[in-house]
Structures are given as C-alpha cells and as structure tokens.
C-alpha cells in the first residue's frame, strides 16, 4: 500500500464471468505468482462456491482449496475471495493466514442477507469488504445514507462502491465519494469498482484518487487488460502506471505486461470484453447490461435502433434483467418498423 491506496486485482474472479473460471491450472498459478512479484497489494483469487474444487478453475469451496494456488514466496501480497450468493458459514474460521479478506455482495433486493453475511464473516475472524452493487443507480439518496449508517454499525474492513451498470460520470463519482465520506466512519476503507461502459474508467479512478481524503484508505479494483464481462473493467496496468508516476509506488510493470502478453491478449482475441457503444447506451438509461447484449446478439439492429429500444425498459426490470421483456420490446419495435414500411 502506498499513500493510503490499496490496489486489488480481481482478474481471476471478475474474469471468470467470461469462462466460468476455466483458465487452466498453469495460467491461474502463473497469474497469481506474477501479480505477487509485481507487488500488487491484494489479489482476489476467485469466487467461493459449493462445488468441488478443480485446479483448472478459479473457484474454491473453502480456504484450504484456495491456498493451493498461492506461491510459497508471496512477497507482501494478501489474498481475497468473493462470497457471492455463498453462505460464509461454509468456510473455516480465520487462522491468521494471508487469505484474510472475504468480499461479500449487497444488492438492494438482498440487503438483509448481504448484511448478515458480512456479520458472519467478521465473526469468523476475517476482514470483510462489502461490495455495494449498483450503489449509485439502485438507491435513493435517503436509502444511500441509511445504508451507509447501517454499515457503520457492522463496521467492515472496507466497502467497495460497484458501478455495476457503468452509470457514473466525473461529477457523479465526486457525489458518491462525498456522500460516502460524510456518512461512513473514517476508519472504514472506501473503494471503487469501475466498469468500462463509457470508456472512462481510468479517468474516473484518477479523479477518485485525487479527491479522496488522505486520512482515509482508498481501495481500487482493477483487472489485467481490463478482463471481465463486456464491457470490461478498469485496467490494472493503467492504474499501476499511474501509481508509479504520481504516488511513488514501485509496481513491477514488466511482470504485469508479461502476464498480459502470455495470456490475456489471446483471451481477448477469442472473446473481446472491451468498450462497445450499446453498453454505453444501456448505462445512459441505467439498465442491466444484458439488455444491450440481447440486442447485439439479434444481429439486425443499428445503434439508433438499440437506443430507441433500450429507453423502453422501465421500472423494476431495469436493474434485474428480464428476458421476456427484452423479447417483447424488441418484437414491438420490429413490428412497428414493418408497418411503417408497408
């Protein structure tokens, strides 16, 4: 950690949305070793799951399984696991090892479950980081304030404000920071998890690090080459170069670029995860990215068509993808076009 800033790599966890974590044993081991040598503060090894451990997949049933991928010489790196729809009562109590952070998730619709999972994580002795899913878009301002106060009562190690649908612009990330800084206890780490819907995640990460109070520890999620479900994430190589230039950090960029060359360029060639305009349009309307994906996969729509269709998604279905609704608004649009042409 440099200048009260923690860089957390989540390549093998967030990237698993593309391939169900099936990276292969050698890539998993090499990626973790390389990130340790590069000096990354935290590495999120993958999801916790109820299925049996497979060394070719970045998912783990318990802490003992996750230890199998950590190199003997892990430098000064610590490790995290994501408990998404996973009951943390199914893992061992913390034993003082370097897998010390469990990241829990909270949507607006499973708020109580998420808070309870965080309490159980802390009770087991781990640091808990709460990922607030779509915090900007899903909650009213009163709900945001109420929720931050409830988090204070639990007092996790950190919260991470996930821009799940890529809604944030510069002014909005300042608003989110100011709100959280005002109502969140100062010793709770404040983090961001940015997606690339608008192609500005790197700029927003810089702005976040410029405005955050130096007395509060900041946490920034990033992935190698931006890997993640389309349209991808903040790129680890960019934020590490920024840290080296402006915060006198010493991340070893040769290690990061070696991993990108060896694995991630080819992965991206097979299944691109970068910025695409339909996802920027979906972020404009504050809706689940899967609506944009659905329209892309139809293969017969231009950007103007997608813009016209996506603005029809309203109500509770905006955040939680409803395929039947997507089919309906698509069919209505195509039928209307047909009648206009007659």
């Amino acid at each position: 950690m440099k200048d009260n800033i923690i860089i957390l790599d989540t390549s093998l966890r967030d990237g698993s949305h593309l391939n169900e974590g099936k990276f292969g044993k050698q890539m998993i081991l090499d990626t973790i070793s390389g990130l340790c040598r590069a000096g990354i503060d935290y590495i999120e090894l993958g999801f916790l799951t109820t299925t049996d451990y497979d060394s070719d997949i970045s998912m783990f049933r318990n802490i003992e399984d996750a230890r199998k991928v950590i190199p003997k010489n892990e430098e000064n790196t610590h490790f995290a696991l994501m408990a998404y729809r996973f009951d943390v009562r199914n893992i061992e109590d913390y034993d003082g090892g370097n897998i010390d952070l469990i990241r829990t998730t909270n949507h607006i619709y499973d708020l109580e479950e998420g808070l309870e999972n965080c309490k159980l994580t802390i009770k087991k002795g781990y640091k808990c980081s709460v990922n607030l899913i779509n915090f900007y878009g899903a909650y009213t301002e009163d709900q945001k304030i109420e929720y931050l106060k409830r988090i204070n009562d639990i007092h996790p190690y950190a919260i991470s404000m996930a821009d799940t649908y890529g809604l944030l612009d510069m002014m909005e990330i300042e608003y989110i920071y100011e709100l959280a800084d005002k109502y969140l206890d100062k010793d709770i780490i404040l983090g961001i998890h940015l997606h690339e819907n608008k192609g500005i995640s790197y700029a927003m990460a810089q702005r976040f690090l410029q405005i955050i109070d130096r007395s509060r520890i900041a946490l920034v999620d990033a992935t190698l080459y931006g890997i993640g479900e389309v349209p991808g994430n903040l790129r680890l190589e960019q934020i590490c170069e920024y840290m080296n230039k402006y915060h006198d950090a010493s991340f070893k960029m040769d290690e990061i670029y070696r991993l990108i060359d060896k694995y991630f360029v080819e992965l991206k060639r097979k299944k691109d995860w970068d910025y695409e305009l339909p996802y920027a349009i979906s972020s404009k309307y504050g809706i689940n990215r899967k609506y944009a994906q659905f329209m892309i996969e139809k293969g017969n729509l231009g950007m103007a068509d997608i813009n016209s269709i996506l603005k029809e998604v309203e109500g509770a279905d905006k955040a939680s993808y409803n395929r039947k609704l997507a089919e309906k608004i698509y069919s209505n649009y195509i039928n209307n076009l047909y009648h206009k042409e007659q």
Side-chain angles (χ1 to χ4, degrees):
M1 179 171 65
K2 187 70 176 179
D3 289 349
N4 272 9
I5 300 168
I6 295 171
I7 301 300
L8 187 149
D9 175 85
T10 182
S11 302
L12 294 174
R13 195 277 301 169
D14 212 327
S16 70
H17 289 299
L18 294 174
N19 61 2
E20 298 178 322
K22 297 174 183 176
F23 293 103
K25 179 179 179 179
Q26 190 55 50
M27 179 180 173
I28 292 170
L29 295 174
D30 201 15
T31 297
I32 294 166
S33 295
L35 290 170
C36 288
R37 290 192 297 271
I40 301 303
D41 302 306
Y42 261 98
I43 300 170
E44 191 172 42
L45 301 170
F47 282 107
L48 285 163
T49 180
T50 56
T51 59
D52 290 338
Y53 173 61
D54 182 330
S55 61
D56 287 323
I57 300 174
S58 60
M59 296 185 185
F60 309 92
R61 190 164 188 165
N62 50 42
I63 303 302
E64 181 182 356
D65 286 342
R67 281 210 177 93
K68 295 173 183 175
V69 301
I70 296 176
K72 291 182 179 179
N73 182 12
E74 69 275 7
E75 309 295 336
N76 296 312
T77 300
H78 288 254
F79 303 93
L81 291 164
M82 171 68 80
Y84 175 66
R85 295 177 178 170
F86 179 90
D87 189 339
V88 296
R89 285 175 292 194
N90 293 324
I91 60 170
E92 311 93 318
D93 290 346
Y94 178 60
D95 63 1
N98 52 8
I99 303 177
D100 59 359
L101 178 62
I102 303 296
R103 309 235 286 173
T104 62
T105 60
N106 290 62
H107 304 81
I108 193 168
Y109 55 80
D110 61 9
L111 177 62
E112 300 304 326
E113 179 184 341
L115 291 175
E116 186 60 28
N117 227 21
C118 182
K119 291 177 186 176
L120 290 169
T121 298
I122 294 169
K123 188 175 181 180
K124 279 185 167 283
Y126 296 94
K127 299 173 183 175
C128 179
S129 176
V130 181
N131 275 31
L132 306 176
I133 307 301
N134 195 23
F135 184 65
Y136 176 73
Y139 298 80
T140 66
E141 180 150 353
D142 287 343
Q143 287 173 326
K144 291 184 180 80
I145 294 168
E146 178 188 357
Y147 189 37
L148 291 170
K149 290 179 177 178
R150 292 188 68 184
I151 287 177
N152 285 337
D153 293 336
I154 299 171
H155 214 82
Y157 172 72
I159 70 165
S160 188
M161 297 176 292
D163 187 20
T164 312
Y165 304 129
L167 309 185
L168 297 180
D169 292 320
M170 290 298 182
M171 292 180 65
E172 287 147 350
I173 201 165
E174 291 182 20
Y175 155 74
I176 283 290
Y177 162 70
E178 290 168 1
L179 192 71
D181 189 56
K182 180 177 180 179
Y183 291 101
L184 196 69
D185 288 349
K186 294 295 182 182
D187 57 343
I188 297 175
I189 294 170
L190 183 55
I192 51 171
H193 182 100
L194 300 172
H195 292 167
E196 200 64 279
N197 294 67
K198 298 176 181 176
I200 58 171
S201 66
Y202 180 40
M204 289 196 294
Q206 291 181 59
R207 186 61 186 143
F208 175 73
L209 294 179
Q210 289 166 359
I211 62 178
I212 194 165
D213 188 332
R214 287 284 172 256
S215 66
R216 185 193 287 279
I217 298 175
L219 183 148
V220 179
D221 286 9
T223 64
L224 286 158
Y225 216 35
I227 189 172
E229 196 169 32
V230 182
N233 298 279
L234 172 66
R235 292 174 179 241
L236 181 72
E237 60 275 15
Q238 289 183 319
I239 199 63
C240 285
E241 291 279 23
Y242 177 84
M243 289 291 297
N244 286 352
K245 183 174 182 179
Y246 293 106
H247 290 276
D248 198 28
S250 54
F251 294 112
K252 296 176 182 176
M253 299 308 301
D254 285 349
E255 292 287 350
I256 291 173
Y257 291 130
R258 181 189 67 81
L259 289 172
I260 291 171
D261 285 341
K262 188 171 183 179
Y263 297 111
F264 291 85
V265 170
E266 181 61 24
L267 273 176
K268 191 170 185 291
R269 188 177 293 120
K270 291 178 179 178
K271 191 170 185 178
D272 196 7
W273 55 71
D274 225 335
Y275 168 88
E276 288 189 41
L277 182 52
Y279 297 102
I281 295 171
S282 71
S283 75
K284 176 177 70 168
Y285 294 119
I287 62 176
N288 193 304
R289 57 169 296 286
K290 290 183 180 178
Y291 288 104
Q293 182 177 337
F294 175 89
M295 301 306 162
I296 292 170
E297 290 173 352
K298 286 299 180 182
N300 61 343
L301 298 170
M303 296 305 157
D305 299 317
I306 291 174
N307 182 61
S308 295
I309 293 172
L310 293 185
K311 66 183 174 185
E312 298 300 319
V313 181
E314 296 179 340
D317 290 316
K318 293 177 71 171
S320 56
Y321 176 61
N322 183 333
R323 184 179 176 85
K324 289 183 178 179
L325 175 63
E327 290 277 10
K328 180 181 177 181
I329 59 177
Y330 167 78
S331 296
N332 288 344
Y333 183 79
I334 295 299
N335 288 336
N336 287 337
L337 279 182
Y338 175 78
H339 289 308
K340 285 179 182 178
E341 293 170 356
Q342 298 306 305

